[in-house]
Amino acid sequence: MDWNDLKYFLEVARGGSLTRASDVLRVSQSTVSRRIAELETRLGTRLFARHQTGYCLTDEGRELLGRAEAVEDNMLAFERGASGLAPAVSGLVRLATSENLATDLVIPALPAFVARHPQLRLEIVTTTATVELGRRDADLALRVVRPSHGNLKTRRLGEMTHGVYGHRDYLARHPARGDDPLAGRAVVTWDEAHAHLPAAQWLARRAPDARVVLAASTLRAQIAAVRAGLGLGVLPDFLVADTDLVRVLAPDQVFSDGVWLVIHADLAASARVRAVADFLADAVAASALSGRPGAASC
């Protein structure tokens, strides 16, 4: 059996639709449909029940799912091991990180790195969600949350401190009530879909009765709102370069996150992944995020 057939089966099973599977596999929906039909014919059984709401696994499909995932784990381990044997710094490396780290830290430092390694191509996946390195969604990650499970090697590169900021004009129009700089002032925060993020949780605990004037799905939008004078926001200090923004609460009163480099253990010896990892470590060391690294190394 072709390993690629199992890829189609697994992606449809995980996403429940041809559309999601085609997006992940980067092929057309008709290709996914055809490959699933061919696999079912070859196995002599129906793997999915087709409904208007999507594709659902049949009993036979559920029986085979665990076995397909075991094959996938073995194939991915084989691919990771093989990639570590290549000595040249060339090929594709997928990096998972947040949008603000990508746009304000990684990308500005890329020109010199690209010039040094012209045969290497970097693909950046920007998301606030957890990316599975074991599934090859990415080869390495730069995160502010240390992963708690998986065959991963981690290294603390620095620290991202946070403060509460407001535009000086907004602060002048809305003086603090007493000793609490948040009292009586509106706030800008993450939307409900991102309420699990540390900044949203801290603000909800610290100022549960504050009037939320804007809830946004990106940090960029929140920074723009604070600059526009809509209210206060919990922002990473390294992103605030605007002299019109005033910090009303310092990191020791808010919170800080470690900046973690995460690599799947099977890829730690890969020349191209190591090159990107070293580049990220240098970029953090040269930035306002630099801090005392931990003892563990990738």
Side-chain angles (χ1 to χ4, degrees):
M1 179 183 293
D2 189 344
W3 155 232
N4 287 315
D5 290 339
L6 290 184
K7 289 183 180 180
Y8 287 90
F9 168 64
L10 287 168
E11 293 305 333
V12 174
R14 288 166 179 159
S17 75
L18 298 181
T19 302
R20 294 177 185 175
S22 66
D23 288 342
V24 173
L25 297 170
R26 299 180 183 180
V27 296
S28 67
Q29 292 183 41
S30 61
T31 298
V32 177
S33 177
R34 175 176 56 79
R35 294 295 289 266
I36 292 296
E38 291 174 352
L39 179 59
E40 290 179 327
T41 299
R42 191 176 302 116
L43 295 175
T45 187
R46 290 188 65 191
L47 301 173
F48 296 98
R50 281 73 165 172
H51 301 290
Q52 288 184 341
T53 56
Y55 276 50
C56 298
L57 284 168
T58 62
D59 290 342
E60 293 79 7
R62 281 190 290 272
E63 174 68 22
L64 292 175
L65 179 60
R67 300 181 184 184
E69 288 177 333
V71 173
E72 178 189 43
D73 289 340
N74 289 330
M75 289 301 299
L76 292 176
F78 178 84
E79 291 175 359
R80 287 191 296 265
S83 67
L85 299 176
V89 180
S90 62
L92 173 65
V93 175
R94 296 183 181 90
L95 166 68
T97 189
S98 62
E99 182 180 8
N100 59 287
L101 285 174
T103 57
D104 290 86
L105 175 73
V106 178
I107 293 175
L110 270 180
F113 177 73
V114 171
R116 188 161 62 251
H117 302 294
Q119 301 304 315
L120 188 145
R121 181 166 69 90
L122 184 63
E123 182 177 304
I124 301 178
V125 181
T126 56
T127 176
T128 56
T130 301
V131 169
E132 293 289 342
L133 298 189
R135 299 295 182 190
R136 291 304 297 271
D137 292 335
D139 299 310
L140 71 170
L142 189 65
R143 288 298 193 199
V144 293
V145 177
R146 185 177 187 176
S148 57
H149 64 277
N151 186 24
L152 307 172
K153 302 192 74 173
T154 62
R155 176 185 174 191
R156 185 183 175 115
L157 299 181
E159 184 177 32
M160 182 184 292
T161 60
H162 290 73
V164 176
Y165 288 85
H167 193 280
R168 62 177 67 256
D169 292 343
Y170 176 84
L171 299 177
R173 294 195 310 270
H174 301 83
R177 297 178 184 174
D179 296 330
D180 186 359
L182 275 67
R185 289 168 167 167
V187 297
V188 174
T189 188
W190 289 94
D191 63 9
E192 187 175 351
H194 297 82
H196 62 284
L197 295 179
Q201 292 184 337
W202 180 89
L203 191 57
R205 291 192 304 268
R206 177 63 174 75
D209 299 324
R211 181 171 67 91
V212 177
V213 67
L214 177 69
S217 61
T218 68
L219 190 56
R220 288 289 179 195
Q222 294 173 54
I223 294 174
V226 175
R227 284 175 176 160
L230 287 179
L232 305 181
V234 181
L235 308 177
D237 292 307
F238 93 102
L239 291 178
V240 181
D242 193 330
T243 57
D244 287 329
L245 296 188
V246 178
R247 190 169 66 184
V248 299
L249 282 179
D252 60 348
Q253 298 174 286
V254 188
F255 68 94
S256 300
D257 290 315
V259 179
W260 296 92
L261 176 65
V262 186
I263 304 177
H264 196 285
D266 291 344
L267 292 176
S270 167
R272 63 175 182 272
V273 174
R274 284 289 338 165
V276 176
D278 292 343
F279 157 71
L280 294 173
D282 291 343
V284 172
S287 73
L289 298 173
S290 61
R292 183 178 179 180
S297 61
C298 294

